[in-house]
Amino acid sequence: MRAQKLYRTQDLDLVLPRIFCLKTCGSWLLMRNRLSNLYLVNLFTKERINLPPVESQVGTTKLERMVVGFRITCPDGSKPGKPMHIRSPVFWIDEKTKDYLVSWGLGTCCVVYSKKGDNSWTQIPEALDCCDMVYKDHKLYFFSYSRDLRIYDFSGEIPQQSFWCRCVYVERFAFDGGGPRRPHVTNRRRLVVTKLVVTVTGDVLKVETYLRPKSRIWSFRLFKVCSSGDFKRVYSLGDESMLLDLGITVLANNYEGISRNSIYFNASQNDTSDIFLFNLETRKMEQLHKFDCSSDQLSGNRWFLPSFTQAVVA
């Protein structure tokens, strides 16, 4: 998306140095203030929905709020461990009924969720060591640092696990133009992050993001998760484009200014937050925008897909 497609909104009456935007869904933002209180706010209508206190947990893990983050309170009253923080938050909200579901990982302990009408957060005990999550079409896609991939169906009152696999080891390659080759030197590029992405058709992709530290060149490897739990290398998205930070793909022709078969991603460096486009066909990247993020309240740009037919970057 180009600079002329930027949109400006009215002041949301938010004291920016004291709040943080964790995630977006449609026209809504998931916000956290300095006291770690969570709430949803509509970017355009200014509607606000307060969420239950983070420490109000239904499950075996009990929390105590700290000045920064939270820590576990053990049954014997001891309080071990370092502070833990909210990890990989996701949420969904119905624009008309305001039904919603919010979920996030608590350090390495568990994943919790809360729906409209809940007064607390319910833990999913088997979802441990959260690495990344995506919520799409009433399904929660969970990936752990222990290589567990789980899918939970939230279409009923109680979430049901519908898929589980232990991700097999994937041999790493270096990129050479249009295809992979074995690297002569393994430390020329560094694996920065592994993320989950759900495509328009519901396929699950494991996306590995690499960075060459000296040249600041980014590259990607995509793997489709098969029903058997194996992975198949993917080299093209066809007519779809990936919004990496949202964990989804969209049809490029549905949004003005989006390039097909490309990955849109954020990269923060040197007090700036840059938006890039990586073309999977040419394997070249292009910088689209650069924003000053020297203020500590900004944790990268956020992507929006509002109900009107424009994609907005803020």
Side-chain angles (χ1 to χ4, degrees), residues 250-312:
V250 297
L251 289 174
N253 58 8
N254 285 352
Y255 297 94
E256 182 181 350
I258 290 187
S259 300
R260 63 180 296 279
N261 198 24
S262 299
I263 299 174
Y264 290 83
F265 67 102
N266 297 330
S268 299
Q269 56 184 336
N270 299 326
D271 291 333
T272 63
S273 186
D274 305 332
I275 299 178
F276 292 97
L277 179 152
F278 183 86
N279 188 294
L280 286 169
E281 184 174 351
T282 63
R283 307 212 64 83
K284 294 183 179 180
M285 57 181 280
E286 174 188 356
Q287 182 176 351
L288 301 182
H289 300 294
K290 176 181 289 189
F291 297 97
D292 178 18
C293 64
S294 56
S295 301
D296 62 358
Q297 74 271 14
L298 295 178
S299 56
N301 305 299
R302 298 299 176 191
W303 295 81
F304 298 90
L305 292 177
S307 55
F308 51 84
T309 58
Q310 294 287 350
V312 182

Side-chain angles (χ1 to χ4, degrees), residues 101-139:
L101 183 138
V102 182
S103 182
W104 41 271
L106 177 64
T108 61
C109 295
C110 60
V111 170
V112 301
Y113 69 91
S114 185
K115 300 185 293 184
K116 182 180 179 180
D118 292 348
N119 296 318
S120 60
W121 299 87
T122 302
Q123 298 174 6
I124 307 177
E126 65 268 25
L128 307 174
D129 203 16
C130 177
C131 173
D132 192 32
M133 295 195 298
V134 176
Y135 189 85
K136 186 175 187 290
D137 297 331
H138 303 291
K139 292 182 179 179

Side-chain angles (χ1 to χ4, degrees), residues 10 28 216 255 285:
Q10 296 178 353
W28 290 78
R216 307 301 298 178
Y255 297 94
M285 57 181 280

Side-chain angles (χ1 to χ4, degrees), residues 34-275:
R34 288 289 180 93
L35 298 177
S36 293
N37 297 315
L38 301 178
Y39 60 94
L40 304 177
V41 63
N42 189 294
L43 180 64
F44 301 106
T45 66
K46 300 185 181 181
E47 294 173 271
R48 173 168 170 159
I49 300 174
N50 292 321
L51 300 175
V54 173
E55 64 269 28
S56 60
Q57 303 276 327
V58 176
T60 58
T61 302
K62 304 301 179 184
L63 302 181
E64 178 187 16
R65 187 186 295 257
M66 302 180 64
V67 176
V68 178
F70 304 85
R71 63 183 176 189
I72 295 177
T73 301
C74 296
D76 60 3
S78 61
K79 302 171 182 178
K82 297 180 180 179
M84 292 181 296
H85 303 275
I86 293 173
R87 182 180 290 179
S88 300
V90 295
F91 79 102
W92 161 86
I93 185 168
D94 187 291
E95 294 279 359
K96 294 183 179 179
T97 66
K98 303 302 185 294
D99 289 336
Y100 66 83
L101 183 138
V102 182
S103 182
W104 41 271
L106 177 64
T108 61
C109 295
C110 60
V111 170
V112 301
Y113 69 91
S114 185
K115 300 185 293 184
K116 182 180 179 180
D118 292 348
N119 296 318
S120 60
W121 299 87
T122 302
Q123 298 174 6
I124 307 177
E126 65 268 25
L128 307 174
D129 203 16
C130 177
C131 173
D132 192 32
M133 295 195 298
V134 176
Y135 189 85
K136 186 175 187 290
D137 297 331
H138 303 291
K139 292 182 179 179
L140 179 66
Y141 299 81
F142 167 84
F143 184 61
S144 76
Y145 285 106
S146 304
R147 299 185 299 161
D148 283 334
L149 175 60
R150 301 176 186 268
I151 302 177
Y152 296 94
D153 188 342
F154 275 81
S155 59
E157 283 296 320
I158 301 175
Q160 301 292 329
Q161 181 174 292
S162 59
F163 180 83
W164 174 85
C165 76
R166 176 63 57 84
C167 301
V168 296
Y169 176 77
V170 181
E171 187 176 7
R172 297 180 182 179
F173 291 90
F175 287 113
D176 182 17
R181 62 177 174 82
R182 294 184 182 275
H184 297 292
V185 181
T186 58
N187 62 355
R188 284 182 178 175
R189 56 187 192 132
R190 176 166 53 93
L191 177 62
V192 177
V193 66
T194 300
K195 292 185 65 65
L196 284 182
V197 173
V198 182
T199 70
V200 172
T201 57
D203 290 333
V204 181
L205 302 180
K206 175 173 173 256
V207 181
E208 296 178 350
T209 303
Y210 292 87
L211 171 66
R212 298 181 186 272
K214 292 185 178 180
S215 61
R216 307 301 298 178
I217 298 297
W218 300 78
S219 57
F220 299 86
R221 293 204 310 165
L222 281 58
F223 299 90
K224 177 182 175 181
V225 181
C226 304
S227 58
S228 62
D230 295 329
F231 288 81
K232 179 182 178 181
R233 183 73 182 271
V234 175
Y235 293 95
S236 174
L237 293 173
D239 291 329
E240 298 179 32
S241 295
M242 181 183 297
L243 303 182
L244 186 62
D245 302 287
L246 288 183
I248 61 172
T249 67
V250 297
L251 289 174
N253 58 8
N254 285 352
Y255 297 94
E256 182 181 350
I258 290 187
S259 300
R260 63 180 296 279
N261 198 24
S262 299
I263 299 174
Y264 290 83
F265 67 102
N266 297 330
S268 299
Q269 56 184 336
N270 299 326
D271 291 333
T272 63
S273 186
D274 305 332
I275 299 178

